[in-house]
Amino acid sequence: FEANITDYQPNLIRATANSDQQTLLVLSEMYYPEGWQAFVGGTETEIFKTNHVLRSIVLPAGQHLVEFRLEPRSYSASLYTKGTSIGIVYVLLVLGLSPHIRRFLAGKREKSTRAIE
């Protein structure tokens, strides 16, 4: 069995693994059930709690790309809330400034009409 971590970030761990039989791949990372997802070759797989504190997955025989991703629901919800809030602020800004913009443009038209006369 051989496994190598190829990418290690706070919210993503990638590894390549090669085994001639089904095995348990144990990461020396704290088991935290909320938000972490594991993928073997792009297919989601279950994460197990090993030795009371570590994360592990069952790895089938063969060569695989393994990914552990932190994608908590709270993060997705906060992105949605942020995007919606920004959209609302822009709409309110445009609505609030539109009378001022119309007056400004109307004043420019009057000045240009006077200049032509």
Side-chain angles (χ1 to χ4, degrees), residues 7-21:
D7 193 6
Y8 186 88
Q9 299 174 26
N11 60 348
L12 173 68
I13 300 169
R14 277 195 189 110
T16 56
N18 190 8
S19 177
D20 56 353
Q21 62 185 355

Side-chain angles (χ1 to χ4, degrees), residues 102-117:
R102 279 192 231 120
R103 269 189 254 128
F104 176 75
L105 293 176
K108 282 227 177 235
R109 278 191 227 118
E110 282 181 23
K111 289 180 183 177
S112 62
T113 307
R114 287 186 208 152
I116 294 174
E117 295 174 356

Side-chain angles (χ1 to χ4, degrees), residues 1-70:
F1 173 72
E2 183 181 341
N4 296 304
I5 292 179
T6 58
D7 193 6
Y8 186 88
Q9 299 174 26
N11 60 348
L12 173 68
I13 300 169
R14 277 195 189 110
T16 56
N18 190 8
S19 177
D20 56 353
Q21 62 185 355
Q22 182 176 351
T23 188
L24 188 67
L25 174 66
V26 180
L27 282 186
S28 183
E29 289 281 324
M30 296 294 291
Y31 175 80
Y32 186 75
E34 297 300 318
W36 280 100
Q37 296 173 312
F39 299 87
V40 175
T43 303
E44 189 168 6
T45 188
E46 186 177 357
I47 299 174
F48 297 99
K49 187 181 204 178
T50 305
N51 291 339
H52 304 287
V53 293
L54 301 176
R55 256 185 267 170
S56 67
I57 60 170
V58 174
L59 192 64
Q63 188 169 357
H64 301 284
L65 173 64
V66 179
E67 289 186 339
F68 287 85
R69 296 185 212 146
L70 178 60

